Short mmCIF file of all heavy atoms in Angstrom, two decimals:
data_model
loop_
_atom_site.label_atom_id
_atom_site.label_comp_id
_atom_site.label_asym_id
_atom_site.label_seq_id
_atom_site.Cartn_x
_atom_site.Cartn_y
_atom_site.Cartn_z
N SER A 9 0.83 -1.21 0.00
CA SER A 9 0.00 0.00 0.00
C SER A 9 0.87 1.25 0.00
O SER A 9 0.53 2.26 -0.65
CB SER A 9 -0.92 0.00 1.23
OG SER A 9 -1.75 -1.14 1.26
N ALA A 10 2.00 1.21 0.71
CA ALA A 10 2.87 2.39 0.78
C ALA A 10 3.46 2.72 -0.59
O ALA A 10 3.56 3.90 -0.95
CB ALA A 10 3.99 2.13 1.79
N VAL A 11 3.83 1.70 -1.36
CA VAL A 11 4.39 1.95 -2.70
C VAL A 11 3.35 2.62 -3.59
O VAL A 11 3.65 3.58 -4.31
CB VAL A 11 4.88 0.63 -3.32
CG1 VAL A 11 5.29 0.85 -4.78
CG2 VAL A 11 6.06 0.08 -2.54
N LEU A 12 2.12 2.14 -3.54
CA LEU A 12 1.06 2.73 -4.36
C LEU A 12 0.73 4.15 -3.90
O LEU A 12 0.52 5.05 -4.72
CB LEU A 12 -0.19 1.85 -4.30
CG LEU A 12 -0.08 0.47 -4.97
CD1 LEU A 12 -1.36 -0.33 -4.76
CD2 LEU A 12 0.22 0.61 -6.45
N LEU A 13 0.68 4.35 -2.58
CA LEU A 13 0.34 5.67 -2.05
C LEU A 13 1.44 6.68 -2.37
O LEU A 13 1.16 7.84 -2.70
CB LEU A 13 0.14 5.58 -0.54
CG LEU A 13 -0.24 6.88 0.19
CD1 LEU A 13 -1.55 7.44 -0.36
CD2 LEU A 13 -0.36 6.63 1.69
N ALA A 14 2.70 6.24 -2.30
CA ALA A 14 3.82 7.15 -2.58
C ALA A 14 3.77 7.69 -4.00
O ALA A 14 4.19 8.82 -4.26
CB ALA A 14 5.15 6.43 -2.34
N ARG A 15 3.23 6.89 -4.93
CA ARG A 15 3.12 7.35 -6.32
C ARG A 15 2.12 8.49 -6.48
O ARG A 15 2.23 9.31 -7.38
CB ARG A 15 2.67 6.19 -7.22
CG ARG A 15 3.77 5.24 -7.62
CD ARG A 15 3.18 4.09 -8.43
NE ARG A 15 2.22 4.53 -9.43
CZ ARG A 15 2.54 4.91 -10.67
NH1 ARG A 15 3.81 4.92 -11.04
NH2 ARG A 15 1.60 5.27 -11.52
N ALA A 16 1.15 8.54 -5.58
CA ALA A 16 0.07 9.52 -5.72
C ALA A 16 0.31 10.80 -4.94
O ALA A 16 -0.48 11.73 -5.03
CB ALA A 16 -1.25 8.88 -5.27
N LEU A 17 1.39 10.86 -4.18
CA LEU A 17 1.64 12.00 -3.31
C LEU A 17 2.76 12.88 -3.85
O LEU A 17 3.61 12.42 -4.61
CB LEU A 17 2.02 11.50 -1.91
CG LEU A 17 0.93 10.77 -1.14
CD1 LEU A 17 1.49 10.22 0.16
CD2 LEU A 17 -0.25 11.71 -0.85
N PRO A 18 2.78 14.16 -3.45
CA PRO A 18 3.91 15.03 -3.82
C PRO A 18 5.21 14.47 -3.28
O PRO A 18 5.25 13.74 -2.29
CB PRO A 18 3.54 16.36 -3.14
CG PRO A 18 2.06 16.30 -2.94
CD PRO A 18 1.72 14.87 -2.71
N GLY A 19 6.32 14.84 -3.93
CA GLY A 19 7.62 14.28 -3.61
C GLY A 19 8.03 14.40 -2.16
O GLY A 19 8.72 13.52 -1.63
N ILE A 20 7.62 15.47 -1.48
CA ILE A 20 8.06 15.69 -0.10
C ILE A 20 7.52 14.61 0.84
O ILE A 20 8.09 14.36 1.91
CB ILE A 20 7.61 17.09 0.37
CG1 ILE A 20 8.29 17.44 1.70
CG2 ILE A 20 6.09 17.16 0.50
CD1 ILE A 20 8.04 18.86 2.16
N TYR A 21 6.44 13.94 0.45
CA TYR A 21 5.83 12.93 1.31
C TYR A 21 6.28 11.50 0.98
O TYR A 21 5.95 10.57 1.71
CB TYR A 21 4.30 12.99 1.21
CG TYR A 21 3.72 14.32 1.62
CD1 TYR A 21 3.14 15.16 0.67
CD2 TYR A 21 3.75 14.74 2.95
CE1 TYR A 21 2.60 16.39 1.04
CE2 TYR A 21 3.23 15.96 3.32
CZ TYR A 21 2.65 16.78 2.36
OH TYR A 21 2.13 18.00 2.72
N VAL A 22 6.98 11.33 -0.11
CA VAL A 22 7.31 9.98 -0.59
C VAL A 22 8.14 9.20 0.41
O VAL A 22 7.81 8.07 0.78
CB VAL A 22 8.03 10.05 -1.95
CG1 VAL A 22 8.63 8.69 -2.30
CG2 VAL A 22 7.06 10.49 -3.04
N LEU A 23 9.25 9.79 0.87
CA LEU A 23 10.14 9.06 1.77
C LEU A 23 9.46 8.69 3.09
O LEU A 23 9.57 7.54 3.54
CB LEU A 23 11.41 9.87 2.02
CG LEU A 23 12.54 9.13 2.76
CD1 LEU A 23 12.95 7.89 1.97
CD2 LEU A 23 13.73 10.06 2.97
N PRO A 24 8.75 9.63 3.76
CA PRO A 24 8.06 9.24 4.99
C PRO A 24 7.06 8.11 4.78
O PRO A 24 6.94 7.20 5.62
CB PRO A 24 7.36 10.53 5.42
CG PRO A 24 8.16 11.62 4.82
CD PRO A 24 8.63 11.08 3.51
N VAL A 25 6.33 8.14 3.67
CA VAL A 25 5.34 7.09 3.40
C VAL A 25 6.03 5.74 3.18
O VAL A 25 5.60 4.71 3.70
CB VAL A 25 4.47 7.45 2.17
CG1 VAL A 25 3.66 6.24 1.70
CG2 VAL A 25 3.55 8.60 2.51
N LEU A 26 7.13 5.74 2.42
CA LEU A 26 7.83 4.49 2.15
C LEU A 26 8.48 3.92 3.41
O LEU A 26 8.60 2.70 3.56
CB LEU A 26 8.90 4.71 1.08
CG LEU A 26 8.39 4.98 -0.34
CD1 LEU A 26 9.56 5.28 -1.26
CD2 LEU A 26 7.58 3.80 -0.88
N LEU A 27 8.92 4.80 4.31
CA LEU A 27 9.58 4.33 5.52
C LEU A 27 8.61 3.97 6.63
O LEU A 27 9.01 3.34 7.63
CB LEU A 27 10.57 5.38 6.03
CG LEU A 27 11.79 5.65 5.12
CD1 LEU A 27 12.70 6.69 5.76
CD2 LEU A 27 12.55 4.36 4.86
N ALA A 28 7.35 4.33 6.48
CA ALA A 28 6.36 4.02 7.52
C ALA A 28 6.28 2.52 7.83
O ALA A 28 6.31 2.12 9.00
CB ALA A 28 4.99 4.57 7.13
N PRO A 29 6.18 1.64 6.81
CA PRO A 29 6.15 0.19 7.13
C PRO A 29 7.42 -0.29 7.82
O PRO A 29 7.38 -1.22 8.62
CB PRO A 29 6.00 -0.47 5.75
CG PRO A 29 5.45 0.59 4.86
CD PRO A 29 6.03 1.88 5.36
N VAL A 30 8.55 0.35 7.50
CA VAL A 30 9.82 -0.02 8.14
C VAL A 30 9.77 0.29 9.64
O VAL A 30 10.17 -0.53 10.48
CB VAL A 30 11.00 0.72 7.48
CG1 VAL A 30 12.31 0.33 8.15
CG2 VAL A 30 11.04 0.44 5.99
N LEU A 31 9.26 1.46 9.96
CA LEU A 31 9.17 1.86 11.37
C LEU A 31 8.16 1.01 12.13
O LEU A 31 8.40 0.62 13.27
CB LEU A 31 8.80 3.34 11.46
CG LEU A 31 9.80 4.32 10.86
CD1 LEU A 31 9.29 5.75 10.95
CD2 LEU A 31 11.15 4.19 11.56
N VAL A 32 7.05 0.70 11.47
CA VAL A 32 6.05 -0.17 12.10
C VAL A 32 6.65 -1.55 12.36
O VAL A 32 6.50 -2.14 13.44
CB VAL A 32 4.79 -0.29 11.22
CG1 VAL A 32 3.84 -1.34 11.79
CG2 VAL A 32 4.08 1.05 11.12
N GLY A 33 7.35 -2.07 11.36
CA GLY A 33 7.96 -3.38 11.51
C GLY A 33 9.05 -3.40 12.57
O GLY A 33 9.21 -4.38 13.29
N ALA A 34 9.79 -2.30 12.69
CA ALA A 34 10.86 -2.24 13.69
C ALA A 34 10.32 -2.42 15.09
O ALA A 34 11.01 -2.95 15.98
CB ALA A 34 11.60 -0.90 13.59
N GLY A 35 9.07 -1.99 15.30
CA GLY A 35 8.46 -2.16 16.62
C GLY A 35 7.97 -3.57 16.89
O GLY A 35 7.62 -3.90 18.02
N GLN A 36 7.95 -4.42 15.84
CA GLN A 36 7.44 -5.78 16.01
C GLN A 36 8.52 -6.85 15.87
O GLN A 36 8.25 -8.03 16.09
CB GLN A 36 6.33 -6.05 14.98
CG GLN A 36 5.17 -5.07 15.08
CD GLN A 36 4.05 -5.42 14.12
OE1 GLN A 36 3.69 -6.57 13.96
NE2 GLN A 36 3.50 -4.41 13.47
N ILE A 37 9.71 -6.45 15.45
CA ILE A 37 10.81 -7.40 15.28
C ILE A 37 11.69 -7.37 16.51
O ILE A 37 11.98 -6.30 17.07
CB ILE A 37 11.65 -7.04 14.04
CG1 ILE A 37 10.76 -6.93 12.80
CG2 ILE A 37 12.76 -8.06 13.82
CD1 ILE A 37 10.08 -8.22 12.41
N GLY A 38 12.15 -8.52 16.94
CA GLY A 38 12.97 -8.61 18.14
C GLY A 38 14.44 -8.39 17.87
O GLY A 38 14.86 -7.32 17.43
N ARG A 39 15.24 -9.44 18.06
CA ARG A 39 16.69 -9.28 18.01
C ARG A 39 17.24 -9.04 16.62
O ARG A 39 18.39 -8.65 16.47
CB ARG A 39 17.37 -10.52 18.60
CG ARG A 39 16.98 -11.82 17.95
CD ARG A 39 17.44 -13.00 18.79
NE ARG A 39 17.03 -14.27 18.20
CZ ARG A 39 17.80 -14.99 17.42
NH1 ARG A 39 19.02 -14.55 17.14
NH2 ARG A 39 17.38 -16.14 16.92
N ASN A 40 16.44 -9.26 15.59
CA ASN A 40 16.90 -9.02 14.21
C ASN A 40 16.38 -7.69 13.66
O ASN A 40 16.26 -7.52 12.45
CB ASN A 40 16.45 -10.17 13.31
CG ASN A 40 17.07 -11.49 13.71
OD1 ASN A 40 18.27 -11.57 13.96
ND2 ASN A 40 16.26 -12.54 13.78
N ARG A 41 16.10 -6.77 14.56
CA ARG A 41 15.49 -5.50 14.15
C ARG A 41 16.35 -4.73 13.14
O ARG A 41 15.85 -4.22 12.14
CB ARG A 41 15.23 -4.63 15.37
CG ARG A 41 14.56 -3.28 15.04
CD ARG A 41 14.27 -2.46 16.28
NE ARG A 41 13.26 -3.11 17.11
CZ ARG A 41 13.49 -3.61 18.32
NH1 ARG A 41 14.71 -3.54 18.84
NH2 ARG A 41 12.52 -4.17 19.01
N ALA A 42 17.65 -4.65 13.39
CA ALA A 42 18.52 -3.88 12.50
C ALA A 42 18.55 -4.48 11.10
O ALA A 42 18.53 -3.75 10.10
CB ALA A 42 19.93 -3.82 13.08
N LEU A 43 18.59 -5.80 11.01
CA LEU A 43 18.56 -6.45 9.70
C LEU A 43 17.25 -6.17 8.98
O LEU A 43 17.23 -5.87 7.79
CB LEU A 43 18.74 -7.97 9.86
CG LEU A 43 20.16 -8.45 10.17
CD1 LEU A 43 20.14 -9.94 10.48
CD2 LEU A 43 21.09 -8.15 9.02
N PHE A 44 16.14 -6.26 9.71
CA PHE A 44 14.85 -5.98 9.09
C PHE A 44 14.78 -4.56 8.58
O PHE A 44 14.35 -4.32 7.44
CB PHE A 44 13.71 -6.22 10.09
CG PHE A 44 12.37 -5.78 9.57
CD1 PHE A 44 11.61 -6.63 8.77
CD2 PHE A 44 11.87 -4.51 9.84
CE1 PHE A 44 10.39 -6.22 8.25
CE2 PHE A 44 10.65 -4.09 9.32
CZ PHE A 44 9.91 -4.96 8.53
N VAL A 45 15.19 -3.60 9.39
CA VAL A 45 15.11 -2.19 9.00
C VAL A 45 15.93 -1.92 7.74
O VAL A 45 15.46 -1.27 6.80
CB VAL A 45 15.58 -1.28 10.16
CG1 VAL A 45 15.78 0.15 9.68
CG2 VAL A 45 14.56 -1.32 11.29
N GLY A 46 17.15 -2.43 7.70
CA GLY A 46 18.01 -2.19 6.55
C GLY A 46 17.45 -2.79 5.27
O GLY A 46 17.37 -2.12 4.23
N PHE A 47 17.07 -4.06 5.32
CA PHE A 47 16.58 -4.72 4.13
C PHE A 47 15.19 -4.22 3.73
O PHE A 47 14.89 -4.08 2.54
CB PHE A 47 16.55 -6.24 4.34
CG PHE A 47 17.87 -6.90 4.09
CD1 PHE A 47 18.79 -7.03 5.12
CD2 PHE A 47 18.21 -7.38 2.84
CE1 PHE A 47 20.03 -7.62 4.90
CE2 PHE A 47 19.44 -7.97 2.61
CZ PHE A 47 20.35 -8.10 3.63
N ALA A 48 14.33 -3.95 4.70
CA ALA A 48 12.98 -3.47 4.38
C ALA A 48 13.05 -2.10 3.70
O ALA A 48 12.33 -1.85 2.72
CB ALA A 48 12.13 -3.40 5.65
N ALA A 49 13.89 -1.22 4.21
CA ALA A 49 14.04 0.10 3.59
C ALA A 49 14.54 -0.04 2.16
O ALA A 49 14.06 0.65 1.25
CB ALA A 49 14.99 0.96 4.42
N ALA A 50 15.50 -0.93 1.94
CA ALA A 50 16.04 -1.14 0.60
C ALA A 50 14.98 -1.68 -0.35
O ALA A 50 14.85 -1.24 -1.50
CB ALA A 50 17.23 -2.10 0.66
N ILE A 51 14.18 -2.62 0.11
CA ILE A 51 13.13 -3.21 -0.73
C ILE A 51 12.09 -2.17 -1.12
O ILE A 51 11.69 -2.07 -2.29
CB ILE A 51 12.47 -4.39 0.01
CG1 ILE A 51 13.45 -5.56 0.12
CG2 ILE A 51 11.19 -4.84 -0.71
CD1 ILE A 51 12.98 -6.67 1.05
N LEU A 52 11.64 -1.38 -0.16
CA LEU A 52 10.60 -0.38 -0.44
C LEU A 52 11.12 0.71 -1.38
O LEU A 52 10.42 1.10 -2.33
CB LEU A 52 10.11 0.23 0.86
CG LEU A 52 9.06 -0.63 1.59
CD1 LEU A 52 9.15 -0.47 3.09
CD2 LEU A 52 7.66 -0.27 1.11
N LEU A 53 12.32 1.19 -1.14
CA LEU A 53 12.89 2.22 -2.01
C LEU A 53 13.12 1.68 -3.42
O LEU A 53 12.86 2.37 -4.42
CB LEU A 53 14.20 2.74 -1.43
CG LEU A 53 14.08 3.63 -0.19
CD1 LEU A 53 15.44 3.88 0.43
CD2 LEU A 53 13.40 4.95 -0.54
N ALA A 54 13.60 0.44 -3.52
CA ALA A 54 13.86 -0.14 -4.83
C ALA A 54 12.57 -0.38 -5.60
O ALA A 54 12.50 -0.12 -6.81
CB ALA A 54 14.62 -1.45 -4.67
N GLY A 55 11.54 -0.87 -4.93
CA GLY A 55 10.26 -1.09 -5.61
C GLY A 55 9.67 0.21 -6.12
O GLY A 55 9.16 0.27 -7.25
N TYR A 56 9.73 1.24 -5.30
CA TYR A 56 9.24 2.55 -5.74
C TYR A 56 10.09 3.08 -6.89
O TYR A 56 9.56 3.66 -7.85
CB TYR A 56 9.27 3.53 -4.57
CG TYR A 56 8.92 4.94 -4.96
CD1 TYR A 56 7.59 5.30 -5.19
CD2 TYR A 56 9.92 5.91 -5.11
CE1 TYR A 56 7.27 6.60 -5.57
CE2 TYR A 56 9.59 7.19 -5.48
CZ TYR A 56 8.27 7.55 -5.71
OH TYR A 56 7.96 8.83 -6.09
#
């Protein structure tokens, strides 16, 4: 949903929208949080 929403918003909002799932996920991942954040951010940015 974030990738689709980022396409419809002005450029200033794109990065916060794409990183929102990363931040949400960071709160739900335990000891592998840093790995999740790094790879999730890369996946979302690359898909967009």
Side-chain angles (χ1 to χ4, degrees):
S9 301
V11 172
L12 293 176
L13 181 60
R15 279 176 45 87
L17 294 174
I20 191 174
Y21 300 111
V22 168
L23 190 59
V25 167
L26 291 176
L27 293 181
V30 180
L31 297 177
V32 172
Q36 302 184 42
I37 306 296
R39 56 193 178 95
N40 297 314
R41 181 178 294 114
L43 285 173
F44 172 85
V45 168
F47 277 88
I51 290 170
L52 279 148
L53 288 170
Y56 174 77

